[in-house]
Amino acid sequence: MENMGMRRAFATVGLAVAGAAVAGMMQAGSAAAVEPVVDPARGLYFGVVLNEQETVALSNSPLPAMLDGVYMSSATIRILGESYLDEDDENVYADLPEVVDTAAALDGIVGFALVDPAGNGGRPLRVVAVFP
């Protein structure tokens, strides 16, 4: 079962990267550069951080809704900074489209990461939204 969760997580990160890259390339004059991150010592196997323009492009695409319906049961969402999303110390009460749209509207960024499920509530995918 854990193997299926990892496959979903890999597919989610891959789709997010592909969607942001395509959307970024479609923006005239955009210098899209999805930033990869890796830190196995801290349980971060692979991740990508989208810049503000890529976050807006992702927000304007159908990809967040597609990912939310299929893959988000394998993910945790974390919020860094101030937003108007409903959250407490443990949970964010918003779906992926809401998180991405809010980040885009507030000049924030989003990132997707494959992580060690043992340090992520048993889930292999982490989505982080950073608000200024």
Side-chain angles (χ1 to χ4, degrees), residues 47-116:
V48 292
V49 178
L50 307 180
N51 66 28
E52 290 176 19
Q53 294 80 19
E54 292 158 347
T55 299
V56 169
L58 182 62
S59 173
N60 291 328
S61 78
L63 197 56
M66 292 167 47
L67 293 174
D68 190 69
V70 178
Y71 299 109
M72 292 311 291
S73 63
S74 298
T76 58
I77 298 175
R78 298 288 184 249
I79 303 294
L80 303 176
E82 296 294 322
S83 80
Y84 52 81
L85 293 172
D86 189 18
E87 63 178 305
D88 59 29
D89 291 338
E90 298 293 321
N91 301 295
V92 176
Y93 301 100
D95 61 16
L96 185 60
E98 288 177 279
V99 172
V100 173
D101 290 348
T102 302
L106 298 177
D107 297 325
I109 60 173
V110 294
F112 298 85
L114 294 172
V115 297
D116 182 355

Side-chain angles (χ1 to χ4, degrees), residues 11-27:
T12 301
V13 171
L15 285 171
V17 171
V22 168
M25 286 187 292
M26 294 175 70
Q27 291 181 342

